[in-house]
Amino acid sequence: MKKCLAIVAVTTLALAVAGVSPATAARGAAGSNACQPWQGSLAGSFDAIGQLLKGGVAGKEGWFKHDLVPDDAMKEAPAALAPAVAGGTIDVYFHVINKGSGIANGDVPDSQIAAQINVLNNAYGPWGWSFRLAATDRTTNATWYTMGQGSSAEAQAKAALRRGSADDLNIYSANLGGGLLGWATFPSDYASSPTLDGVVILFSSVPGGTTAPYNEGDTATHEVGHWMGLYHTFQGGCNGNGDFVDDTPAERSPAYGCPVGRDSCKGRKGGADGLDPITNFMDYTDDPCMNTFTAGQDQRMDAQFTAYRFGK
């Protein structure tokens, strides 16, 4: 990040969040596949959002998302007397990993990269954050092209390509293994694993891509939310502290499609109307349904960025 737009004084960083154990019960899926949202833990704090499996449940044309979040995915930030960064311009290094020339081989054109940066700016701009494309590089490597989360291919690609410091965003596009839409590292991971820091997205999820209904660029919006320190809106279900943001209504499970009026946690924590936050970027709804962050999420992003990224 090259400049701060605003700074506000705080006495402590109430960043919440440790010790939330994800649910262990499997969610059954009609058809031959079963979607099990919590089938183990991951090495490191990654959000493997959007494993797309063929099935007969929620999601356009039978696709649905599958997610794993480790118990220690979000850590409590240390108390601090330093001012909190309340916005800024974040430099983006976009790494296009392909298996050859042409979009069919994952060689995302500059026009789609520019469109992706615009999507990020439209989502985060109202909260004081903007993104500037600092550089784009292109690498042809068939092994890296199909990297999986936590794989040696991912580690090798990031070690070779990553640029900048903790407050610079590195985005890697590829044809991800396992049917994943993307994953991200959390702010608190940077100190121990700086070379792994960043966001990985399916190349066809960028604006104008072919992975409908996840092809308007909001896979990156969602993953950057994790990179900025946000949990899923459905974290913890209807009980406990949920996503540790006060103004996102509690949500029993991920929402798919765009289920207007869904209220899966009646009588529990609610925002203005208590309905599930299906339009929030940190849910699992279709890209056309997502359009919202909240003031509480903005406060959390500011605090997490200050504690773990700013000037690091």
Side-chain angles (χ1 to χ4, degrees):
M1 188 181 73
K2 300 306 178 187
K3 66 176 182 178
C4 292
L5 301 180
I7 294 179
V8 294
V10 295
T11 56
T12 60
L13 298 177
L15 296 180
V17 291
V20 177
S21 296
T24 56
R27 177 171 61 83
S32 60
N33 296 304
C35 180
Q36 298 178 333
W38 314 110
Q39 51 181 324
S41 60
L42 300 177
S45 302
F46 296 91
D47 171 54
I49 167 183
Q51 184 168 0
L52 299 177
L53 303 175
K54 271 290 187 180
V57 296
K60 183 175 272 189
E61 297 177 353
W63 291 95
F64 62 89
K65 296 182 179 180
H66 172 90
D67 181 72
L68 295 172
V69 179
D71 292 352
D72 66 344
M74 302 290 282
K75 303 179 180 67
E76 186 173 357
L81 298 176
V85 177
T89 299
I90 297 173
D91 278 347
V92 179
Y93 295 95
F94 205 106
H95 310 286
V96 178
I97 300 172
N98 59 67
K99 66 172 183 178
S101 61
I103 188 61
N105 291 314
D107 193 17
V108 179
D110 289 344
S111 59
Q112 286 185 303
I113 295 172
Q116 180 64 78
I117 298 299
N118 286 338
V119 168
L120 293 177
N121 282 325
N122 289 336
Y124 290 89
W127 307 105
W129 295 100
S130 63
F131 298 85
R132 183 184 75 89
L133 184 62
T136 301
D137 56 63
R138 299 174 185 278
T139 302
T140 301
N141 186 307
T143 300
W144 296 357
Y145 182 60
T146 57
M147 72 171 74
Q149 188 277 323
S151 66
S152 59
E154 178 195 7
Q156 291 165 9
K158 289 182 172 182
L161 300 176
R162 194 187 184 283
R163 298 177 61 181
S165 57
D167 51 18
D168 296 312
L169 173 62
N170 282 255
I171 298 178
Y172 304 83
S173 67
N175 190 31
L176 310 182
L180 296 175
L181 282 173
W183 61 83
T185 57
F186 286 98
S188 57
D189 292 317
Y190 183 82
S192 61
S193 302
T195 60
L196 292 177
D197 184 67
V199 165
V200 183
I201 60 171
L202 181 67
F203 80 91
S204 54
S205 71
V206 299
T210 57
T211 311
Y214 312 113
N215 61 340
E216 295 185 2
D218 284 325
T219 290
T221 305
H222 179 107
E223 298 301 346
V224 171
H226 290 309
W227 186 83
M228 294 288 288
L230 296 181
Y231 248 161
H232 294 126
T233 53
F234 50 84
Q235 181 66 32
C238 298
N239 302 310
N241 295 312
D243 62 353
F244 292 86
V245 174
D246 289 339
D247 59 359
T248 55
E251 188 175 23
R252 184 175 300 278
S253 60
Y256 300 97
C258 196
V260 176
R262 183 179 191 247
D263 187 2
S264 62
C265 292
K266 291 180 174 62
R268 303 295 297 177
K269 181 187 77 166
D273 55 15
L275 298 178
D276 289 4
I278 65 166
T279 62
N280 197 282
F281 289 117
M282 302 313 294
D283 206 337
Y284 270 9
T285 48
D286 296 349
D287 281 15
C289 192
M290 292 182 165
N291 57 33
T292 305
F293 284 121
T294 69
Q297 287 175 315
D298 175 49
Q299 291 171 2
R300 183 178 178 81
M301 288 190 284
D302 293 348
Q304 291 265 318
F305 197 93
T306 302
Y308 296 114
R309 294 201 179 281
F310 183 61
K312 302 295 193 293

